[in-house]
């Protein structure tokens, strides 16, 4: 790979949080404000929520189709989260990184762990709710889950918050504008320091 191309390589950014932590909202703002960031669209076997569109929010697939894709190694990572399957299609990601685009993954902590293992220079940011009480309020306020799904997500949340301790950065999502600004600052600083490190490597 030429030096110019190598220096242009984009950043792989992982945003995780417990369900209701605000990662989708923050990702949306980051994508709106930073045109170098593109979002990786996952496949899921979960049913679409009201307003969600196939190919925009997720690729909604059957369990059989998902399993066939996993068998063909089509996913960079996949996991069973809150009783549904979710996976990141790999082919598209590499082409975007090579074009210099930063690729954003809005995935759970199991997926984050796998990505970090596979892509050592991935940037992992954990979005932390200010408290468990606030997390519950936000999840209830979103009105997207039935009582059973809500129970599963809340009981999974404590373990997910523990896993967040292994992330490169943790951002508390109290005031949304502050959390978005903090994530943007992390991305900008990481771009700078990685470019510096690559240029240093190139002139050695
Ligand atoms: P996740 O994608 O992590 O499950 P969402 O982004 O869907 O979480 O956020 C859960 C709910 O909380 C949404 O209704 C969203 O509008 C709301 N929310 C997110 N961040 C904040 C915040 N900082 N203050 C108040 N409400 C928020
Ligand atoms: P939701 O059903 O709320 O959209 O997502 C449930 C959880 O699955 C969230 O933590 C979300 O980030 C995660 N998720 C979405 N896509 C993927 C993926 O491709 N891989 C993994 N590991 N988790 C995902």
């Amino acid at each position: 790979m030429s030096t110019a191309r190598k220096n242009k390589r984009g950043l792989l950014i992982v945003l995780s949080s417990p369900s209701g932590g605000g990662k989708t909202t923050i990702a949306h703002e980051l994508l709106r404000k930073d045109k170098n960031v593109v979002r990786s669209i996952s496949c899921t076997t979960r049913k679409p929520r009201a307003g969600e569109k196939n190919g925009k929010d997720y690729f909604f697939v059957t369990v059989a189709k998902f399993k066939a894709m996993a068998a063909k190694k089509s996913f960079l990572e996949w996991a069973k989260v809150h009783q549904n399957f979710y996976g990141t299609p790999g082919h598209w990601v590499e082409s975007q990184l090579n074009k210099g685009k930063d690729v954003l993954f809005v995935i759970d902590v199991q997926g984050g762990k796998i990505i970090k293992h596979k892509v050592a220079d991935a940037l992992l940011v954990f979005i932390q709710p200010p408290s468990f009480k606030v997390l519950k309020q936000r999840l209830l306020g979103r009105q997207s889950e039935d009582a059973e799904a809500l129970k599963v997500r809340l009981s999974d949340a404590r373990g997910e918050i523990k896993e967040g301790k292994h992330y490169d950065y943790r951002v508390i999502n109290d005031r949304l504008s502050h959390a978005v600004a903090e994530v943007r600052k992390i991305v900008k600083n990481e771009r700078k320091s990685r470019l510096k490190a690559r240029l240093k490597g190139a002139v050695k």
Side-chain angles (χ1 to χ4, degrees):
M1 194 187 286
S2 74
T3 306
R5 163 57 52 93
K6 223 172 144 191
N7 289 340
K8 232 182 100 190
R9 191 172 162 84
L11 198 58
L12 198 163
I13 309 163
V14 173
L15 268 195
S16 301
S17 76
S19 186
K23 60 192 169 302
T24 307
T25 309
I26 291 173
H28 186 79
E29 285 302 292
L30 182 63
L31 289 161
R32 194 171 67 79
K33 292 183 168 175
D34 190 332
K35 293 301 170 202
N36 200 56
V37 182
V38 291
R39 186 183 158 191
S40 161
I41 301 170
S42 299
C43 291
T44 183
T45 59
R46 160 167 87 58
K47 298 279 167 284
R49 291 180 187 135
E52 281 185 332
K53 288 199 174 69
N54 190 39
K56 181 173 172 279
D57 300 286
Y58 283 107
F59 294 107
F60 295 98
V61 297
T62 61
V63 173
K65 165 100 181 163
F66 191 96
K67 287 188 172 169
M69 288 177 79
K72 275 203 263 167
K73 308 237 180 295
S74 305
F75 297 125
L76 183 58
E77 63 75 35
W78 67 267
K80 192 171 187 188
V81 192
H82 318 313
Q83 302 169 332
N84 292 299
F85 291 108
Y86 296 83
T88 307
H91 55 281
W92 181 82
V93 174
E94 193 55 26
S95 72
Q96 295 298 311
L97 291 172
N98 277 332
K99 278 189 210 163
K101 288 284 186 188
D102 301 320
V103 184
L104 179 64
F105 290 70
V106 187
I107 60 177
D108 92 309
V109 288
Q110 301 172 72
K113 215 173 178 174
I114 298 170
I115 296 273
K116 192 70 185 178
H117 189 68
K118 286 193 170 177
V119 186
D121 64 353
L123 169 65
L124 268 67
V125 182
F126 189 78
I127 306 298
Q128 176 130 2
S131 67
F132 199 77
K133 194 174 155 203
V134 170
L135 177 71
K136 194 171 172 183
Q137 278 167 357
R138 288 185 186 162
L139 204 47
L140 277 168
R142 193 170 72 186
Q143 296 187 320
S144 51
E145 266 71 38
D146 60 28
E148 185 52 36
L150 198 73
K151 221 167 109 185
V152 171
R153 282 169 188 249
L154 284 171
S155 88
D156 288 343
R158 292 193 196 275
E160 291 169 330
I161 291 172
K162 270 194 197 141
E163 279 297 319
K165 297 206 168 77
H166 303 298
Y167 274 51
D168 300 314
Y169 295 90
R170 276 167 303 284
V171 171
I172 297 182
N173 180 20
D174 194 350
R175 274 270 292 276
L176 182 63
S177 59
H178 291 182
V180 172
E182 209 175 322
V183 173
R184 291 193 69 202
K185 197 166 122 196
I186 291 168
V187 170
K188 273 191 188 165
N189 287 343
E190 286 285 334
R191 272 184 194 140
K192 261 196 220 157
S193 63
R194 283 157 197 245
L195 183 63
K196 227 168 144 182
R198 281 186 200 137
L199 288 172
K200 215 171 145 190
V203 293
K204 258 186 195 160

